[in-house]
Amino acid sequence: MITDARNLPSGEQLECDVCIVGAGIAGISLARSLEQSGMRVVILESGGLHPTPETDALSDGESNLPDYPFAASRVRSFGGSSCAWTGACIQMDEADFESRSWVPHSGWPIKARDISPYLDRARETLGLPEKDRLRDDLAKTPLASDIVTAKTVAYATPRNVGARFQSEIEKSASINCLLNATVTNLGLEQDGERINKVKARTLDGSEMEVAARSVVLTAGGLENARLLLASNDVAPEGVGNSHDTVGRYHMEHPIRAVGTLSIRPRQHRQYLPYTDVVKRDGVALKGTFGVSAKCRQNNELLDMNLLVYRYSMMEEMASVVGGKALAQDGVTVGKLLEYAATHNVRFATEVLPYIGWHVWNKVHKCARFNHVRFMAFVEQEPNPENRIALSDRRDALGVPLAKLTYSESARMEDSMHRSLAIMSQDFEARGVGTLRYRADEIRHLRAYDAYGLHPMGSTRMSRDPKHGVVDADCRVHGVKNLFVASCSVFPTGGAANPTWTIVALALRLGDYLRQNLRTLPA
């Protein structure tokens, strides 16, 4: 069932087998996997059925990056980030799980094969096809080779996991999802070995407690670390943080405009599996590509997946570049007058033709194009100095806000450049086309740069408690009944959108809890 916590009497106390913090994709996946086991499950969700400004404000924070979108990077409502994401799902490479000598702190304590069966089960949760229906098409395109590996991005159907499973959870006799119940504290026992209660509050002041045999944090890569650190009434350093690892090793997926490729005449149709969404079995699919795992190994490169978009050389004209910047920064009367004074004589001869080309290529799949633009999802190596800590500021419920320290390394930039150089040589040798990727050649594309908003690593998985927060079963080191299911447990993030792996880990944890709950402390 789904209950609004604001309708419960203040001081309400609940008991269950498993308490899940967060009704996002991971939380809903885990709850559904436990439903048939006879376990009593309570989900505490900070938001309601739909996002509101008041609950979104609880996600605020501060950072050395002045424009980091704390609230925009998370959604506090039933369904979590699935209420706002693109739905993109891609499988991580086997190599992403391995220790790499050139990537400090790399290596998962599990292998890709350990979650492979759960990736197949996750297809049902995310509405993905049983098989890769685009692989053969991608293998025939000019981009694919022994050096360049083509991959399929599948888009969840439907994207909003909350909306998809809302009715199912409303009817469930074993799941009780409390909306508008924000967890403010993980009640650690004095010996520090288990969580004996989870405290939550509503924005109108009601309080409640949940006692559970097991507690699972599924609140996302920023909130999981924030909650562990803020629950410091028993352990001053925070829960699970005896080795100062909670919040460290934070990683993102920087999204970077990395180049343009001139393609051979009359070959534009061969690029459509990359530039256009293809529907197979009712699921949207699209191609991406990157340097092969073997090539990365030989050249000591980080991972990088490239997305492909149709491109026109008209985008390099100053009038078009200026117009794009104006649209992105926000149109004001002053900026519009300045733009008109600079570019008005070129509007009819440059800007309008570009707009026409852009619209024509959006509407018509078979419209001709002779260039493509590459956007890269870039792997960032784990760095303990990239971290989430607590701010001196607090949210409306009195919980300290997250404070993010973030930087991007010279290693990452060097790896991007060398990967592009390898691709460029491969394309030239095979007659595919000329790749322009030098900084002076693509400076006009910087407006496309962004972040994937995939906060990974802050509760990383490790064999040794000194080097991470959770073990191979996603249990917090030293706390017998506390687990984390999120991309925050990723020791490294590869270059793949993390959601498919998140769901697989949640389902794997569900199996573990079903098999071992009786052995966990009551």
Side-chain angles (χ1 to χ4, degrees):
M1 61 181 171
I2 297 178
T3 307
D4 192 327
R6 295 173 298 184
N7 297 329
L8 299 177
S10 186
E12 184 81 354
Q13 296 188 2
L14 299 94
E15 294 184 358
C16 62
D17 294 307
V18 180
C19 177
I20 300 173
V21 180
I25 299 175
I28 290 174
S29 300
L30 176 59
R32 293 183 67 242
S33 77
L34 298 174
E35 185 176 17
Q36 302 303 320
S37 65
M39 294 184 189
R40 297 165 300 154
V41 177
V42 170
I43 309 175
L44 297 173
E45 167 53 47
S46 179
L49 291 176
H50 305 286
T52 67
E54 294 77 16
T55 52
D56 284 346
L58 297 172
S59 296
D60 200 6
E62 59 183 63
S63 173
N64 61 311
L65 299 177
D67 59 345
Y68 189 82
F70 279 93
S73 68
R74 289 161 286 170
V75 179
R76 288 180 182 259
S77 70
F78 187 77
S81 296
S82 76
C83 300
W85 71 323
T86 65
C89 297
I90 182 171
Q91 191 168 333
M92 293 179 68
D93 288 354
E94 290 185 13
D96 294 332
F97 294 83
E98 302 298 328
S99 177
R100 292 163 281 172
S101 60
W102 66 95
V103 182
H105 313 292
S106 62
W108 292 50
I110 61 175
K111 302 291 186 182
R113 63 176 177 268
D114 294 321
I115 66 167
S116 181
Y118 299 98
L119 288 170
D120 289 336
R121 282 175 50 186
R123 293 176 186 273
E124 184 274 331
T125 303
L126 297 167
L128 304 180
E130 293 183 2
K131 296 182 179 180
D132 187 342
R133 302 296 187 185
L134 194 60
R135 181 174 55 190
D136 291 343
D137 290 1
L138 294 174
K140 298 174 184 177
T141 63
L143 294 179
S145 71
D146 292 337
I147 291 174
V148 178
T149 301
K151 306 172 186 178
T152 299
V153 181
Y155 292 87
T157 309
R159 295 179 185 178
N160 191 328
V161 173
R164 181 181 182 187
F165 296 116
Q166 179 181 336
S167 177
E168 178 182 319
I169 292 180
E170 284 176 336
K171 296 174 183 177
S172 174
S174 60
I175 301 173
N176 183 9
C177 180
L178 297 180
L179 302 178
N180 299 300
T182 301
V183 174
T184 56
N185 182 267
L186 303 172
L188 190 66
E189 286 191 344
Q190 289 299 317
D191 61 8
E193 292 189 355
R194 69 184 299 273
I195 302 298
N196 58 24
K197 57 189 172 184
V198 178
K199 296 182 180 180
R201 292 180 59 194
T202 66
L203 281 173
D204 61 9
S206 293
E207 299 181 352
M208 65 209 68
E209 292 183 356
V210 179
R213 295 178 67 92
S214 292
V215 177
V216 185
L217 305 184
T218 66
L222 295 174
E223 288 301 314
N224 290 335
R226 177 190 176 196
L227 184 56
L228 290 169
L229 292 170
S231 300
N232 55 12
D233 47 339
V234 174
E237 70 279 5
V239 175
N241 197 33
S242 57
H243 297 286
D244 191 27
T245 49
V246 173
R248 291 190 181 273
Y249 303 97
H250 169 84
M251 298 171 290
E252 255 290 354
H253 279 141
I255 300 176
R256 298 289 180 264
V258 293
T260 63
L261 177 71
S262 60
I263 63 178
R264 296 171 64 182
R266 302 183 185 279
Q267 279 199 336
H268 63 285
R269 288 177 179 269
Q270 297 182 42
Y271 289 84
L272 294 182
Y274 290 100
T275 63
D276 292 55
V277 169
V278 177
K279 281 287 187 79
R280 300 281 166 81
D281 300 330
V283 177
L285 307 171
K286 195 175 182 182
T288 183
F289 71 95
V291 174
S292 70
K294 182 178 180 180
C295 185
R296 296 199 307 272
Q297 173 79 29
N298 292 339
N299 293 276
E300 299 190 348
L301 299 170
L302 294 166
D303 203 355
M304 183 171 70
N305 282 340
L306 273 62
L307 299 176
V308 185
Y309 300 86
R310 303 183 189 199
Y311 180 76
S312 167
M313 293 296 287
M314 289 186 286
E315 288 196 50
E316 301 184 17
M317 295 184 295
S319 57
V320 175
V321 174
K324 284 177 173 285
L326 179 66
Q328 185 178 48
D329 295 341
V331 179
T332 65
V333 173
K335 290 180 180 179
L336 186 60
L337 291 174
E338 181 181 354
Y339 175 81
T342 306
H343 302 292
N344 66 335
V345 297
R346 300 181 181 88
F347 189 80
T349 58
E350 296 180 354
V351 178
L352 283 180
Y354 169 72
I355 292 174
W357 176 90
H358 182 76
V359 172
W360 183 251
N361 273 270
K362 283 288 186 183
V363 173
H364 293 281
K365 276 194 172 185
C366 295
R368 290 191 178 185
F369 53 95
N370 52 22
H371 289 78
V372 290
R373 167 172 59 87
F374 294 150
M375 296 295 298
F377 263 58
V378 184
E379 179 181 16
Q380 184 179 30
E381 78 274 21
N383 176 359
E385 299 308 312
N386 278 357
R387 68 181 303 186
I388 299 160
L390 297 180
S391 168
D392 293 331
R393 295 169 52 209
R394 295 176 180 266
D395 66 19
L397 297 175
V399 180
L401 298 175
K403 181 178 181 180
L404 173 63
T405 301
Y406 177 89
S407 64
E408 294 169 3
S409 70
R411 177 184 284 110
M412 188 190 84
E413 292 291 334
D414 174 69
S415 179
M416 287 173 54
H417 184 82
R418 290 193 294 120
S419 295
L420 291 163
I422 289 170
M423 289 182 190
S424 178
Q425 293 172 5
D426 179 59
F427 292 157
E428 290 282 358
R430 293 189 291 117
V432 173
T434 300
L435 176 63
R436 298 192 305 157
Y437 63 94
R438 293 197 305 270
D440 60 325
E441 295 175 316
I442 60 171
R443 188 174 293 111
H444 63 287
L445 300 176
R446 289 304 177 203
Y448 290 111
D449 290 356
Y451 298 103
L453 302 179
H454 303 150
M456 301 167 288
S458 62
T459 64
R460 72 195 315 255
M461 190 186 292
S462 68
R463 293 184 181 88
D464 188 339
K466 295 179 181 178
H467 301 137
V469 179
V470 304
D471 64 17
D473 296 316
C474 292
R475 187 205 310 252
V476 174
H477 289 299
V479 186
K480 296 177 180 178
N481 68 335
L482 180 60
F483 301 81
V484 182
S486 163
C487 60
S488 66
V489 307
F490 289 17
T492 53
N497 302 64
T499 306
W500 196 353
T501 306
I502 292 171
V503 175
L505 288 172
L507 297 176
R508 179 173 177 264
L509 177 57
D511 278 3
Y512 178 89
L513 292 174
R514 284 198 302 272
Q515 295 164 10
N516 296 279
L517 189 67
R518 289 188 180 87
T519 66
L520 296 173

